[in-house]
Amino acid sequence: MKKFALAAMMAVGLAGAAAADPIEGTWQTQPDDGAFAFVEISPCGPAYCGVIARTFNDSGEYQSENIGRQLVIDMVPQGNGEYRGNVWRPSNNKIYIGKINLNGDQMELKGCIAGGLLCSAQNWVRR
């Protein structure tokens, strides 16, 4: 009986891992004001959030004051690789309407104003 219970727990654990959303994982940002970051995206309630895990500039990896800060905020899947939520831009400390279009190991992340009509985009790659 113990072997059956252990096998059942392992199967449930593997099923949960297989059900991970394609957006989950580590993403490298496009350089912004001379620096880029690795962002860890994971579930946060019914949405997905991304936290700055590592930062880099022309000199290499450095300890930015932004490590641990949330960059991708409450991105909710819309289907077909699209997500909607908010994004924070460290260089000006502003939060924008966020849109993500995910295509395999690449994503286009947009920060928008004017109700989502005017957007600036970055292309991120999975690490």
Side-chain angles (χ1 to χ4, degrees), residues 2 22 29-30 39 69 88 100 102 105-106 108 111 113:
K2 287 182 183 178
T29 69
Q30 185 175 316
V39 176
R69 300 252 344 238
W88 172 63
I100 291 176
L102 185 63
D105 288 338
Q106 298 184 11
E108 179 184 51
I113 60 171

Side-chain angles (χ1 to χ4, degrees), residues 11 33 43 89 98:
D33 290 337
R89 184 174 183 201

Side-chain angles (χ1 to χ4, degrees), residues 75 84-87 95-99 110-116 119:
M75 285 288 177
R84 300 287 181 260
N86 292 295
V87 295
I95 295 177
Y96 297 93
I97 296 169
K99 300 178 182 182
K110 294 180 181 179
C112 306
I113 60 171
C119 302

Side-chain angles (χ1 to χ4, degrees), residues 28-123:
Q28 180 178 326
T29 69
Q30 185 175 316
D32 188 8
D33 290 337
F36 68 93
F38 288 174
V39 176
E40 294 285 338
I41 297 182
S42 59
C44 57
Y48 292 89
C49 296
V51 174
I52 298 171
R54 297 171 67 189
T55 51
F56 302 84
N57 61 20
D58 293 338
S59 301
E61 187 168 3
Y62 74 103
Q63 293 300 307
S64 167
E65 62 190 26
N66 295 324
I67 291 176
R69 300 252 344 238
Q70 196 174 76
L71 187 71
V72 175
I73 306 163
D74 296 330
M75 285 288 177
V76 177
Q78 306 295 305
N80 297 321
E82 294 183 17
Y83 298 77
R84 300 287 181 260
N86 292 295
V87 295
W88 172 63
R89 184 174 183 201
S91 63
N92 64 5
N93 196 30
K94 293 192 182 225
I95 295 177
Y96 297 93
I97 296 169
K99 300 178 182 182
I100 291 176
N101 288 308
L102 185 63
N103 186 8
D105 288 338
Q106 298 184 11
M107 78 163 69
E108 179 184 51
L109 180 134
K110 294 180 181 179
C112 306
I113 60 171
L117 297 175
L118 300 171
C119 302
S120 180
Q122 276 201 355
N123 294 306

Side-chain angles (χ1 to χ4, degrees), residues 7-17:
M9 287 190 298
M10 289 177 61
V12 169
L14 291 174

